[in-house]
Amino acid sequence: MMWMDFGIRDLIDVLLVAIILYQTYKIMKSSGTLAIFGGVVSFIVVWILISQVFEMRLLGSIMDKFINVGVLVLVILFQDEIRRFLSALGSHQGWKFFAKIFSKRREDSEQEGKYIAPVVLACMNMAKKKTGALIVIQQDMDLVAYEHTGEMFCADVNARLIENIFFKNSPLHDGAMIIADNKIRAAGCILPVAQTSNMPKEMGLRHRSGLGMALETDALVIIVSEERGTITVAHKGRLRPNITAKELQRILSAGDVNANNR
């Protein structure tokens, strides 16, 4: 009988919910909070089955109480993950269309990749000299929270400046540099360290920090190894080692570590 009342409005309602869930799934996957999404959806499905389909009053009333305090519990237990999710939501590619409509600033395509040549040159020079470096290139997600962990400034991207910052005697050489909007925004920054055990043993703390940043944000992270003089790029939770100058330029231009595989 219920299906007899199913009309166009209900179909649109179901489609909208499906679209919202799918988009939320994509954003949570990119922001590293997918496990929370799966747990919340599973709990809601069980709650609907118990309280609405099977009409179990006692168990349903207990789960109703959990739903009432569930939002507060989630905020307390998963505040870091929720912060990353909201950051991803606010800077997601889908919102760029609206940002362009209301923004007065016109993006110059020639200016967008202005940082690429100096970064590639600096990385090649540092790799030859076996100077360790950790460079974060902002994509869509805002990295201001990470910038505040280091020394903030605003400077044009210059190969010599990058090399001087990562020089072994520099006070900022151990941290990460963050580049956003064709500017060096901060240096000496602290990045989250990946706890995965699947990394090769020869990869040290810099690589773990680069991977940790790639897991928590959509940033492109360049790691120059101090021991081997090789270049690795971390993006979307993946590490791509032994990058050449041409490959690095292509990856930075495309904004994707898989640019060479297409």
Side-chain angles (χ1 to χ4, degrees):
M1 299 236 359
M2 184 178 65
W3 293 104
M4 298 295 293
D5 299 328
F6 191 85
I8 298 296
R9 183 186 300 175
D10 301 301
L11 178 62
I12 295 174
D13 187 20
V14 171
L15 288 175
L16 287 175
V17 170
I19 291 171
I20 291 171
L21 286 175
Y22 176 68
Q23 292 298 330
T24 305
Y25 165 81
K26 286 176 61 179
I27 295 172
M28 282 194 154
K29 185 178 180 181
S30 65
S31 63
T33 55
L34 187 57
I36 299 175
F37 175 79
V40 171
V41 170
S42 300
F43 185 84
I44 292 175
V45 169
V46 172
W47 172 61
I48 292 174
L49 288 174
I50 289 174
S51 61
Q52 302 295 326
V53 179
F54 299 112
E55 297 182 353
M56 298 179 180
R57 295 183 181 178
L58 180 59
L59 190 56
S61 62
I62 294 173
M63 296 191 74
D64 287 341
K65 299 297 182 182
F66 277 106
I67 290 292
N68 291 335
V69 298
V71 175
L72 181 61
V73 172
L74 285 175
V75 170
I76 294 172
L77 294 179
F78 303 107
Q79 51 185 320
D80 292 334
E81 288 81 1
I82 292 173
R83 175 183 56 79
R84 291 201 303 269
F85 167 69
L86 292 176
S87 177
L89 181 64
S91 54
H92 194 248
Q93 292 255 8
W95 299 106
K96 280 191 167 183
F97 173 76
F98 298 101
K100 288 178 181 178
I101 292 177
F102 297 104
S103 177
K104 295 182 180 179
R105 185 184 66 179
R106 295 183 178 178
E107 293 182 357
D108 188 351
S109 58
E110 293 182 359
Q111 294 294 321
E112 287 181 0
K114 187 178 173 183
Y115 69 91
I116 294 177
V119 168
V120 172
L121 178 60
C123 289
M124 291 300 114
N125 291 337
M126 290 186 293
K128 290 178 182 177
K129 301 174 185 176
K130 291 190 175 181
T131 301
L134 192 56
I135 303 174
V136 179
I137 312 293
Q138 179 177 299
Q139 300 296 303
D140 294 321
M141 290 182 65
D142 189 73
L143 304 179
V144 172
Y146 299 98
E147 293 174 9
H148 283 287
T149 63
E151 296 294 327
M152 296 183 65
F153 54 92
C154 184
D156 291 333
V157 181
N158 180 279
R160 183 164 295 181
L161 176 59
I162 294 174
E163 292 180 53
N164 286 336
I165 288 175
F166 288 109
F167 183 67
K168 292 181 181 180
N169 293 330
S170 168
L172 301 175
H173 81 282
D174 278 334
M177 173 186 292
I178 296 179
I179 296 176
D181 299 325
N182 290 306
K183 297 285 185 179
I184 300 175
R185 296 295 182 182
C189 301
I190 300 172
L191 304 185
V193 179
Q195 302 300 324
T196 179
S197 58
N198 299 328
M199 290 183 62
K201 294 181 179 179
E202 63 270 13
M203 291 186 175
L205 184 59
R206 276 196 182 91
H207 291 82
R208 287 190 174 275
S209 297
L211 180 59
M213 192 67 172
L215 287 168
E216 294 203 4
T217 71
D218 65 344
L220 270 166
V221 187
I222 306 170
I223 308 110
V224 181
S225 173
E226 189 173 352
E227 290 77 19
R228 300 179 308 281
T230 57
I231 298 174
T232 301
V233 175
H235 188 220
K236 295 181 179 179
R238 292 182 55 195
L239 285 172
R240 184 169 174 183
N242 302 319
I243 297 293
T244 64
K246 188 177 291 186
E247 289 172 337
L248 181 58
Q249 184 171 4
R250 197 172 301 161
I251 289 170
L252 293 179
S253 299
D256 193 344
V257 74
N258 297 315
N260 287 15
N261 298 332
R262 292 172 183 171

